[in-house]
Amino acid sequence: MTDWRAVGIGFVVIVLVGLVGLTLPGLGQLTAGLVGGFLAGYLASGGFLRGFWHGALAGALGGVVSGLVLWIAISVVGLAAGPVGAATGAVAGFGIFAIALVISLVMALESALAGGIGAVVS
């Protein structure tokens, strides 16, 4: 059974550390996934596979939500430039969302591994 509290806390940590990590491109996002996944696994405990699962959920959720927020933000900024800007912003935002989905797979994998380690440590 999934412990959604652990996943939620891991997700919030991923978002917060990711926001701080924007000042350190690459390293910041990698650290966010590792810390949030570890925490989700640690809170879920119950063995490596349980921690792996909870870390993966927290990491994937963090990546997908971040991608959606970027897509919306770019679309809204494009709206300021009129109808053509809105269409361009929406298309560009969708492209960024698609890339964010691929990145969320990587973030889910690293978070899953960290979650497994966190569960073993707990």
Side-chain angles (χ1 to χ4, degrees):
M1 183 125 221
T2 301
D3 181 357
W4 289 105
R5 179 180 164 273
V7 171
I9 291 172
F11 164 72
V12 169
V13 168
I14 287 172
V15 170
L16 292 177
V17 174
L19 287 174
V20 172
L22 287 175
T23 59
L24 303 167
L27 179 62
Q29 303 310 311
L30 176 69
T31 305
L34 290 174
V35 171
F38 181 86
L39 187 59
Y42 184 83
L43 292 174
S45 63
F48 182 81
L49 289 178
R50 183 170 163 84
F52 188 90
W53 172 248
H54 287 81
L57 285 176
L61 187 61
V64 170
V65 169
S66 299
L68 281 173
V69 169
L70 279 173
W71 184 5
I72 291 168
I74 291 171
S75 297
V76 168
V77 168
L79 214 87
V84 173
T88 305
V91 170
F94 178 74
I96 290 173
F97 177 67
I99 291 169
L101 284 179
V102 172
I103 292 172
S104 74
L105 290 173
V106 173
M107 186 178 278
L109 183 61
E110 69 166 340
S111 295
L113 291 173
I117 293 169
V120 168
V121 168
S122 72

